[in-house]
Amino acid sequence: MGKIRLKSTEEIELIRQSAQLVSRTLGVLAQKIEPGANGLELDQLAEEFIRDHGGLPGFKGMYDFPNTLCISPNDVVVHGVPNDKPFQQGDIVSIDCGVLMNGFYGDHAYTFEVGDVSKEIKHLIVTTKESLYRGIAAFIYGNRVGDISYAIEQHNKSQGFGIVRDLVGHGLGKELHEEPQVPNYGQMGQGKKLVNGMVLAIEPMINMGTYQVSIGEDKSTIFTVDGKPSAHFEHNVAMINNKPCLLSTFDYIHEALGIHTPEEVPFN
Ligand code: MG
Ligand code: MG
């Protein structure tokens, strides 16, 4: 961490390509998420798909993480290590995926439903996803990072959900985690200015209960302390010529899941 590294339009194009490979990978996984499937199977599938398409798994080996995907079911917030435990009807599974290609990272995430989930859990997922779009809508030239944070916080707070504070969004580029940090809580008009060449991973992590989290014995998995479920959605955005630009897409996932509403982003 240190200074914000602004990117050229050419560099942003490379980040977009990495992000798009993540998007396609998540689209492939979306077709496989059902009761009885497990995280290790998905992880192998994702690694093959990424390597077949010229990328490297971005998370593997980073911070000693052993796998391609972070697979975080139910009360796991993020950084879950894939295992062979079968998914069950009514589970939710957050999958975070990173790709390194041509020297640049893409990094985004989606929370999937396994079969039918309860109304309460659905509400958590929908609200978290909406809050991602609220955050993206605040990614406007001349705004500040705090405007994104505030938009995400307000939307989730109004529903009484716990907004994770220990983990945050981030800058993205030659490194997976760059400056600035993008918290999911904050104040309007505060923080770094959103300028041309900035590339961010915006990623609300929202708990049904308390915002408090703990780390597992594996030193990776982050759990909610009250055991209630948590949702996570992440997109990558860039500022080019005073205009916000979405580098990642959920279109492949939506297509696989039969969701026919377009992404709710105010730009593309
Ligand atoms: Mg991520
Ligand atoms: Mg991220």
Side-chain angles (χ1 to χ4, degrees), residues 57-264:
F59 298 164
K60 204 167 189 172
M62 182 155 308
Y63 313 117
D64 293 327
F65 191 79
N67 291 85
T68 296
L69 302 174
C70 293
I71 298 202
S72 305
N74 302 320
D75 65 331
V76 178
V77 180
V78 287
H79 302 168
V81 181
N83 60 40
D84 61 3
K85 194 174 162 226
F87 302 145
Q88 292 184 29
Q89 176 81 244
D91 283 351
I92 58 171
V93 184
S94 300
I95 301 187
D96 198 344
C97 180
V99 158
L100 175 62
M101 196 164 60
N102 300 313
F104 289 89
Y105 283 94
D107 165 28
H108 54 282
Y110 196 92
T111 297
F112 296 90
E113 301 166 22
V114 183
D116 293 323
V117 304
S118 72
K119 219 175 84 194
E120 292 73 21
I121 289 179
K122 190 127 196 157
H123 182 54
L124 171 71
I125 291 178
V126 167
T127 305
T128 304
K129 194 178 187 184
E130 284 170 354
S131 78
L132 169 63
Y133 292 128
R134 299 284 180 106
I136 291 172
F139 182 72
I140 291 169
Y141 182 80
N143 264 8
R144 290 177 183 270
V145 169
D147 295 303
I148 300 170
S149 307
Y150 177 83
I152 293 171
E153 181 182 22
Q154 291 308 304
H155 191 63
N156 293 296
K157 212 163 125 184
S158 67
Q159 304 302 312
F161 293 141
I163 297 141
V164 175
R165 303 177 78 88
D166 291 3
L167 299 129
V168 295
H170 50 92
L172 184 71
K174 285 186 175 164
E175 290 187 51
L176 180 61
H177 296 132
E178 296 187 0
E179 288 290 313
Q181 294 198 352
V182 185
N184 294 308
Y185 58 93
Q187 292 181 347
M188 278 192 284
Q190 301 288 306
K192 296 288 182 194
K193 220 171 191 173
L194 306 178
V195 296
N196 287 321
M198 201 177 245
V199 180
L200 300 180
I202 301 177
E203 51 177 318
M205 290 158 263
I206 306 301
N207 299 345
M208 186 177 280
T210 177
Y211 73 93
Q212 290 174 299
V213 297
S214 63
I215 188 159
E217 277 175 18
D218 61 10
K219 303 266 192 294
S220 176
T221 307
I222 305 289
F223 295 92
T224 60
V225 300
D226 58 9
K228 290 187 179 172
S230 182
H232 178 213
F233 288 87
E234 179 175 17
H235 259 323
N236 302 145
V237 294
M239 195 69 74
I240 307 171
N241 298 328
N242 304 359
K243 287 202 179 66
C245 173
L246 185 67
L247 304 180
S248 49
T249 176
F250 293 151
D251 284 351
Y252 299 101
I253 296 172
H254 290 171
E255 200 182 311
L257 299 180
I259 298 172
H260 297 297
T261 49
E263 289 230 53
E264 296 168 47

